[in-house]
Amino acid sequence: MEVISSPEEMQKKAFALKRAGKTISCVPTMGFLHQGHLSLIREARASADVLVVTIFVNPAQFGPSEDYRTYPRDPERDLRLCRQEQVDIVFAPETCDIYPDGYSTYIEENDLSRWLCGVDRPGHFRGVATVVTKLFNIVQPDVAYFGQKDYQQSRVITKMVKDLNLPVRIAVCPIVREDDGLAMSSRNKYLNPKERQESLCLYRALSRAEKLVMSGEYSAVTIREEMEAVIRQEPHSRIDYIEIRDGETLEPRDQVGEGTLIALAVFIGKTRLIDNLVIEKVPRSLSE
């Protein structure tokens, strides 16, 4: 496994691989790898000749009061896991390599980014779009893998790739959960034992929503109220948002149907967690 930190060296390597007729898959990460990341890596391993994992904690997607400096990092463990998963190249640049002195060029997606996490995290998706475009330009992937847990991020990136005619296929893989249902996230490390138990309210709320839909309830207002009631049972929870949206456009929906996104962001103590559910099917009577 090669570990490359220089963007110029990585790009030169990528161009050489392309000239040799090799296909490249890429899994962009911020490190502190967990089983969710590894599931993406395994999918990517099977889809191309060369697998590149990028590890870069992107300062441009963190707000001034967010956790950039304390975001969990463990580069040695990350590299060990990548070796175990037979990753070919790890691209792990320094911040100054991606954002050198005088850097002033950013990419914005102005439709999907305005909803959900974009409301209270201004500039977040600008940072995401910018760094992902830079990584694509450096790594030259044919296909890149992202997780459904960051649903809005995956939609923004897919839209950006289409709008900018970038020659990359975006693959979105299912959420990977702990045995008790908590969606895997690097930020789960922040939770103390009591908060970790309370964090299960996100999954319980989504499960409640799904059960309501399957029983024939499709009012967004009713489903949201039921989800709120589940979450408010936990003393250290604070709801950022619970939203029922069109799975493609992210626009609000009054009724749940096939392809509807149910998404939520909840603070457990000081830790902000996100999760979501896409309704694949509704009872037949609702679709007639």
Side-chain angles (χ1 to χ4, degrees):
M1 185 180 78
E2 289 187 74
V3 180
I4 300 174
S5 61
S6 163
E8 293 78 15
E9 182 182 347
M10 181 68 247
Q11 193 174 60
K12 182 179 178 181
K13 179 77 173 183
F15 286 147
L17 290 167
K18 289 298 188 71
R19 286 194 299 270
K22 302 294 186 180
T23 56
I24 300 173
S25 61
C26 179
V27 180
T29 82
M30 292 206 299
F32 208 70
L33 303 181
H34 52 67
Q35 287 298 321
H37 295 114
L38 299 186
S39 72
L40 300 179
I41 290 171
R42 289 162 191 157
E43 289 289 333
R45 172 72 281 168
S47 69
D49 300 316
V50 178
L51 168 57
V52 180
V53 171
T54 71
I55 298 176
F56 178 66
V57 183
N58 177 32
Q61 69 189 68
F62 289 80
S65 61
E66 293 183 344
D67 58 338
Y68 170 66
R69 297 197 179 279
T70 60
Y71 190 84
R73 296 165 170 86
D74 192 343
E76 292 184 3
R77 178 176 173 273
D78 290 343
L79 292 179
R80 184 171 67 253
L81 289 172
C82 285
R83 289 191 183 95
Q84 291 174 3
E85 296 297 330
Q86 298 182 322
V87 172
D88 297 301
I89 301 170
V90 171
F91 176 52
E94 298 293 333
T95 303
C96 60
D97 295 323
I98 299 298
Y99 301 111
D101 288 343
Y103 188 89
S104 61
T105 303
Y106 293 88
I107 293 174
E108 290 192 73
E109 189 284 324
N110 292 310
D111 185 11
L112 302 173
S113 296
R114 61 196 172 105
W115 308 108
L116 305 176
C117 291
V119 174
D120 292 327
R121 302 187 72 189
H124 169 71
F125 288 111
R126 182 181 82 152
V128 169
T130 299
V131 78
V132 169
T133 300
K134 288 176 70 71
L135 292 172
F136 286 175
N137 284 335
I138 294 166
V139 175
Q140 295 289 303
D142 297 278
V143 55
Y145 285 78
F146 296 87
Q148 183 186 312
K149 184 182 76 69
D150 298 296
Y151 188 94
Q152 186 177 15
Q153 173 180 276
S154 70
R155 292 293 304 129
V156 168
I157 291 169
T158 300
K159 184 69 161 56
M160 177 191 74
V161 163
K162 179 181 178 181
D163 287 353
L164 298 182
N165 304 108
L166 300 179
V168 185
R169 178 172 67 87
I170 302 302
V172 181
C173 297
I175 297 172
V176 177
R177 300 184 180 277
E178 303 284 358
D179 290 342
D180 56 10
L182 179 65
M184 289 189 177
S185 169
S186 298
R187 287 189 170 96
N188 292 347
K189 180 179 185 294
Y190 298 151
L191 301 169
N192 64 37
K194 175 63 174 174
E195 292 169 341
R196 173 64 179 77
Q197 189 63 31
E198 291 189 15
S199 70
L200 298 179
C201 68
L202 279 79
Y203 183 61
R204 288 200 300 269
L206 289 171
S207 298
R208 176 62 176 155
E210 184 175 36
K211 184 175 180 179
L212 285 168
V213 173
M214 292 303 104
S215 68
E217 177 59 70
Y218 53 95
S219 164
V221 171
T222 300
I223 292 170
R224 186 181 296 109
E225 288 175 349
E226 291 279 341
M227 294 177 68
E228 287 179 357
V230 171
I231 293 168
R232 294 192 192 283
Q233 292 176 5
E234 301 300 342
H236 299 101
S237 68
R238 176 167 63 86
I239 297 171
D240 185 352
Y241 66 75
I242 297 174
E243 295 289 348
I244 297 175
R245 301 280 175 147
D246 183 279
E248 290 295 319
T249 67
L250 301 188
E251 293 183 352
R253 294 191 64 161
D254 294 328
Q255 295 183 332
V256 170
E258 292 182 0
T260 298
L261 169 71
I262 302 177
L264 71 169
V266 178
F267 284 92
I268 303 295
K270 296 181 179 180
T271 304
R272 183 179 183 273
L273 302 176
I274 61 173
D275 204 344
N276 66 78
L277 167 71
V278 177
I279 300 299
E280 301 292 344
K281 294 181 179 180
V282 296
R284 182 175 177 79
S285 61
L286 301 182
S287 60
E288 293 177 343

